[in-house]
């Protein structure tokens, strides 16, 4: 009886196997099935607010834009070269007011229309109007279409970062944009990049498909899905399970993934800023010596070790060496509690002294206890308050005395000191000039640097600026963390500093 | 004479009642296990100073990061965390916070909620309506959400966390006491007390509260374990105790990133939260069974 039951079971299994194979067989044989099995899954840490680059606000959005849109030039920060994209060449007039670009012929948008000078002029004009990115192409006056493939951009006053910033704008199709309008474009964006936008389910995923007529040749990977996974632990689990191919890696998982055979870890330096900042309108931080003393009191090595597991570069200069304008002669601060105590004594501070509350969001949660301990070592007593994102608002308005923050200043623009005006310029008080220092010489240097056309002259201005900022010590720069990503080992991926991945460069092994 | 005689056996009976409850309680192995575990936690919390110095709780040490649990170095029986702090020291000092949150917030909620509930039931009418509708409003908001709202409004610290937890669980006690008292006020001995001219306060304090105590005690045991869990979730969300002070929930939250690399960091506070909550629940179970008249033999 048992044997009969057993046989019956085997028979059922065989039947179901055959039944299961039957309809599936032709499917797996077709190229359709093959393509489907080769979809690339990418973990996007935040949902994109807008697919329109003129309305960009988050870093996550760039991960999408660089796939579907194309800029004039590509700045490869891995080797410091500039590669042509839509532009073939450009000329700059001697007074630095006219930029003439010649663009490639025969490049097509996803709807089949050709990219012309009209589109470039339209893109720059739209970007200049944008509240989000308009400031990156400051001083822009008007665009003039000379012929189908030549466009002239005219400035009101020289702006040194203009070339690099305008070259990184994503070119939009004028005719299509005007036809469908802003909302229609949001639904179905069109660019001339390597991938076409297929659809998007907010909070869930974005689907992309390789553009067959891409001017540099069709991408090797045909289908891409960008999955929105905001939780780092969840995306790491998904990578391990092979459900996602590329993720942003948290430093705590670095060692683990480094040791795994089926995962490749990618890292690159970035000018990311992790910094302590002082409100110079509040005593005792109105005294420069106190701020410098704290700069000497913090144990940066230990902080970096705890917060990002040592995966970064300790630096006390807030201007990263990667940025144009970094000065090797700017004052640096090393861990030296004795010197800190001397400076406090010089400032006439009697310790122990209560200096208020160290405030931060969860970003600085791990750093705050070490800062508290370092301050206690030199006799400054502080509490800690970890709050939600509302702290950023308070910090901008000056409702704090000492804070910890992570900042990004380079997002999609030139790695140039000019980008730092959002931190150091007096007009940024009540925004991200968190120390609230108004130094007229710094404002002047920003203006001089903008107007200077000669590189060496600009560098001199910016280096002086860097030195002033370091001397003022409104910031206590801690370290620059690395950009960390991880991908499954069956994939060839290139990570471009400071943290860009192009699906076009990816391929299956 | 008769009066003296009446009191004497009553006194003896009262003593024997506690003994009887204890006798019943002892029979339950799980309840005794709960009591044992909780005693260990309480002893560790009270005598924390004997096991670790308060400084060792927050003092960081770059050279002693991530030492796995061991007797040898330190000793660090639960290892050290990402700052090189002894996890055992943080656990026992954290238990002071976690346990006292559980006990204090439960007691406050029981006292405030109990008084409100008793007043509502005793006076009835408008007072009843106002108090109970207010309680309905409170209980219609999920506990953790209400607690988060209170902390967000007042700021994150120990006192505000206690206020938040208390407010969010007052309604349960008010309801419980009100329903108990409603059945009590109808009874003859209350009528008798009133007939003798006792004041309202005296009737509530002397007669009603003692008679409604046993359901409250059971409820307190259950809710204090829930309070510990809620406090842990609040700290996990960053709305509880501020760093670097130890609390089990916040220890769990900061260990989350090291789940794979240093699993003991998340295991130790996790197990402590589970054990503490479980032991209090078991004690509550034990007390409920012990005072249940149907189980008496």
């Amino acid at each position: 009886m048992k044997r009969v039951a057993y046989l019956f079971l085997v028979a059922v299994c065989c039947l179901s196997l055959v039944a299961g194979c039957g309809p599936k067989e032709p499917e797996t044989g077709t190229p359709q099935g093959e393509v489907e099995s080769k979809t690339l899954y990418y973990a996007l840490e935040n949902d994109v607010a807008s697919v329109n680059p003129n309305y960009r606000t988050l870093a996550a959005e760039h991960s999408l834009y660089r796939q579907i849109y194309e800029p004039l030039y590509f700045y490869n920060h891995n080797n410091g070269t500039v590669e042509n994209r839509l532009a073939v060449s450009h000329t700059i007039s001697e007074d630095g007011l006219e930029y003439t670009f010649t663009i490639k012929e025969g490049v097509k948008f996803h709807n089949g229309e050709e990219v012309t000078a009209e589109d470039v002029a339209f893109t720059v004009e739209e970007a200049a109007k944008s509240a989000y990115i308009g400031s990156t192409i400051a001083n822009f006056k008007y665009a003039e279409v000379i012929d189908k493939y030549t466009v002239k951009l005219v400035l009101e006053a020289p702006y040194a970062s203009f070339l690099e910033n305008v070259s990184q704008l994503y070119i939009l199709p004028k005719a299509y944009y005007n036809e469908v309008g802003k909302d229609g474009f949001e639904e179905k964006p069109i660019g001339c990049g390597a991938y076409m936008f297929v659809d998007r389910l907010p909070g869930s995923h974005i689907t992309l498909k390789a553009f067959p007529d891409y001017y540099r040749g069709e991408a090797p990977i045909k289908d891409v899905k960008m999955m929105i996974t905001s939780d780092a632990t969840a995306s790491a689990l998904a990578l391990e399970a092979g459900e996602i191919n590329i993720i942003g890696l948290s430093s705590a998982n670095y060692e683990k993934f480094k040791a795994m055979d089926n995962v490749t870890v990618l890292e690159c330096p970035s000018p990311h800023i992790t910094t302590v900042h002082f409100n110079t309108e509040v005593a005792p931080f109105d005294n420069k010596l106190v701020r410098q003393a704290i700069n000497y009191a913090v144990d940066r090595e230990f902080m970096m070790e705890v917060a990002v597991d040592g995966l970064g570069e300790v630096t006390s200069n807030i201007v990263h060496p990667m940025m144009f304008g970094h000065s090797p002669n700017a004052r640096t601060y090393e861990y030296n509690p004795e010197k800190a105590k001397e400076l406090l004594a010089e400032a006439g501070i009697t310790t122990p002294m209560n200096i208020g509350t160290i405030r931060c969001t969860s970003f600085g949660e791990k750093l705050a206890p070490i800062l508290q301990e370092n301050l206690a070592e030199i006799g400054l007593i502080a509490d800690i308050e970890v709050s939600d994102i509302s702290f950023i608002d308070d910090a901008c308005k000056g409702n704090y005395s000492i804070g910890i923050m992570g900042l990004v200043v380079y997002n999609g623009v030139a790695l140039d000191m000019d980008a730092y005006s959002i931190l150091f310029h007096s007009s940024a008080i009540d925004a991200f000039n968190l120390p609230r220092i108004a130094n007229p010489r710094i404002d002047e240097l920003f203006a001089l640097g903008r107007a200077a056309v000669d590189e060496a002259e600009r560098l001199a201005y910016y280096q002086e600026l860097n030195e002033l900022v370091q001397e003022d010590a409104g910031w206590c720069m801690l370290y620059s963390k690395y950009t960390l990503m991880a991908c499954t080992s069956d994939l060839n991926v290139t990570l471009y500093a400071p943290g860009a991945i192009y699906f076009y460069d990816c391929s299956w092994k | 004479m008769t009066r003296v005689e009446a009191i004497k056996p009553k006194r003896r009976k009262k003593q024997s009642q506690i003994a009887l409850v204890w006798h019943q309680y002892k029979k339950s192995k799980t309840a005794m296990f709960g009591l044992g575990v909780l005693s260990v936690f309480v002893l560790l919390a009270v005598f924390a100073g004997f096991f670790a110095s308060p400084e060792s709780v927050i003092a960081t040490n770059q050279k002693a990061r991530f030492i796995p649990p061991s007797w040898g170095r330190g000793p660090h029986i639960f290892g050290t965390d990402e700052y090189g702090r002894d996890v055992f020291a943080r656990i026992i000092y954290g238990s002071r916070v976690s346990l006292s949150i559980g006990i204090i917030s439960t007691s406050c909620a029981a006292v405030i909620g109990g008084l409100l509930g008793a007043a509502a039931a005793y006076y009835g009418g408008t007072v009843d309506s106002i108090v109970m509708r207010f309680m309905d409003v409170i209980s219609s908001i999920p506990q953790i959400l209400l607690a988060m709202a209170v902390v967000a409004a007042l700021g994150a610290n120990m006192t505000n966390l206690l206020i938040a937890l208390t407010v969010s669980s007052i309604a349960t006690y008010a309801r419980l006491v009100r329903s108990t008292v409603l059945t009590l006020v109808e009874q003859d001995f209350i009528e008798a007390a009133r007939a003798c001219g006792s004041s309202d306060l005296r009737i509530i304090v002397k007669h009603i509260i003692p008679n409604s105590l046993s359901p409250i005690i059971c409820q307190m045991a259950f809710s204090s374990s829930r309070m510990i869990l809620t406090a842990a979730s609040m700290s996990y969300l960053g709305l509880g105790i501020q760093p670097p002070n130890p609390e089990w929930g916040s220890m769990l939250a900061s260990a989350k990133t090291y789940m794979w690399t240093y699993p003991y960091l998340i295991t130790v506070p996790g197990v402590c939260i589970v054990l503490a909550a479980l032991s209090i629940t078991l004690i509550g179970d034990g007390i409920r069974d012990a005072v249940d008249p149907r189980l008496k033999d």
Side-chain angles (χ1 to χ4, degrees), chain B:
Chain B
M1 276 306 276
T2 46
R3 220 183 145 176
V4 174
E5 273 171 9
I7 290 168
K8 268 186 180 170
K10 198 187 168 194
R11 264 197 190 147
R12 215 183 294 138
K13 205 186 162 200
K14 223 181 188 176
Q15 279 176 333
S16 66
Q17 182 130 27
I18 294 169
L20 196 72
V21 169
W22 174 238
H23 181 71
Q24 288 283 335
Y25 184 87
K26 267 198 302 193
K27 282 186 189 167
S28 163
K29 280 194 187 115
T30 52
M32 288 306 285
F33 168 78
L35 193 64
V37 171
L38 188 69
S39 312
V40 172
F41 275 126
V42 169
L43 286 176
L44 280 176
V46 171
F47 299 107
F50 285 103
F51 301 103
S53 65
E55 294 81 49
S56 69
V57 176
I58 52 170
T60 61
N61 181 354
Q62 191 171 4
K63 293 189 182 72
R65 299 178 70 219
F66 299 119
I67 296 176
S70 63
W71 285 104
R73 297 164 67 185
H76 299 294
I77 62 165
F78 290 156
T80 58
D81 65 6
E82 69 269 33
Y83 297 91
R85 302 178 298 204
D86 184 36
V87 175
F88 178 71
R90 291 181 66 75
I91 285 285
I92 56 175
Y93 277 92
S95 72
R96 285 186 168 181
V97 178
S98 295
L99 294 179
S100 55
I101 284 175
I103 292 162
I104 296 173
S105 59
T106 307
S107 315
C108 291
V111 170
I112 300 170
L115 286 178
L116 285 172
Y122 188 77
Y123 293 109
T126 323
V127 177
D128 189 16
S129 293
I130 293 172
V131 171
M132 292 323 288
R133 290 305 76 74
F134 187 60
M135 292 301 138
D136 285 345
V137 170
I138 290 182
S139 58
S140 67
I141 305 167
Q143 192 190 17
I144 186 101
L145 205 62
L146 183 61
M148 279 167 71
V150 172
V151 169
L154 300 177
N157 61 40
M158 178 91 172
T159 321
N160 293 341
L161 185 62
L162 284 174
I163 293 172
L165 292 173
T166 306
V167 168
S168 65
S169 59
I170 281 179
T172 324
Y173 290 98
R175 282 238 181 81
L176 183 74
V177 172
R178 179 176 174 269
S179 63
T180 318
V181 171
L182 275 182
T183 53
L184 281 173
V185 286
E186 302 292 313
Q187 287 185 16
D188 293 343
F189 68 97
I190 302 287
E191 286 285 305
R194 199 173 285 142
C196 292
S198 303
S199 68
D200 286 353
L201 187 69
R202 186 182 165 82
I203 293 174
I204 291 180
V205 173
K206 283 274 173 184
H207 299 287
I208 293 179
I209 290 178
N211 278 295
S212 54
L213 219 50
S214 69
I216 295 179
I217 288 172
C218 290
Q219 176 62 33
M220 281 174 76
F222 288 122
S223 78
S224 54
S225 68
R226 206 181 318 126
M227 291 292 196
I228 291 177
L229 294 177
T230 312
S233 352
M234 296 282 284
S235 301
Y236 186 86
L237 296 171
L239 291 169
I241 307 303
Q242 292 293 309
N245 302 316
E247 201 276 334
W248 293 348
S250 58
M251 289 175 74
L252 202 66
S254 65
K256 186 178 66 168
T257 45
Y258 304 104
M259 197 152 69
W260 277 317
T261 34
Y262 306 101
Y264 64 89
L265 281 179
I266 203 162
T267 315
V268 172
V271 167
C272 286
I273 292 172
V274 170
L275 277 181
L278 180 70
S279 63
I280 297 175
T281 310
L282 290 176
I283 292 171
D285 263 338
I287 296 175
R288 190 194 58 203
D289 290 349
V291 298
D292 191 341
R294 281 171 302 180
L295 293 176
K296 277 182 197 159
D297 44 21

Side-chain angles (χ1 to χ4, degrees), chain A residues 72-85 164 167-168 415 496-497 502:
Chain A
L72 294 172
Y73 288 108
F74 169 61
Y75 286 77
N76 185 339
H77 296 298
N78 282 6
N79 56 18
T81 58
V82 181
E83 295 169 21
N84 284 5
R85 284 294 183 263
E164 195 168 344
S167 301
Q168 296 188 61
L415 292 175
Y496 293 99
Y502 290 84

Side-chain angles (χ1 to χ4, degrees), chain A residues 340-362:
Chain A
K341 280 180 202 160
E342 279 168 31
L343 282 168
L344 280 187
E346 200 185 317
I349 300 282
T350 45
T351 53
M353 183 195 206
N354 199 321
I355 56 164
T357 305
I358 301 167
R359 291 194 58 195
C360 58
T361 62
S362 57

Side-chain angles (χ1 to χ4, degrees), chain A residues 231 233 236-237 240 252-253 255-257 299 301-302 305-306 309 365-367 369-370 372-373 384-386, chain B residues 58-62 65-66 82-85 155-156 235 238 242-244 254 256-262:
Chain A
D231 186 61
T233 314
L237 277 170
E240 213 182 351
N253 296 327
E255 288 296 328
K256 181 200 177 220
F257 281 128
D299 187 350
E301 294 276 348
F302 187 30
E305 188 86 354
V306 168
D309 299 81
E365 204 173 5
K366 294 210 157 186
L367 299 166
I370 303 176
Q372 185 186 41
E373 206 180 21
I384 296 174
E385 190 191 326
V386 181
Chain B
I58 52 170
T60 61
N61 181 354
Q62 191 171 4
R65 299 178 70 219
F66 299 119
E82 69 269 33
Y83 297 91
R85 302 178 298 204
S235 301
Q242 292 293 309
S254 65
K256 186 178 66 168
T257 45
Y258 304 104
M259 197 152 69
W260 277 317
T261 34
Y262 306 101

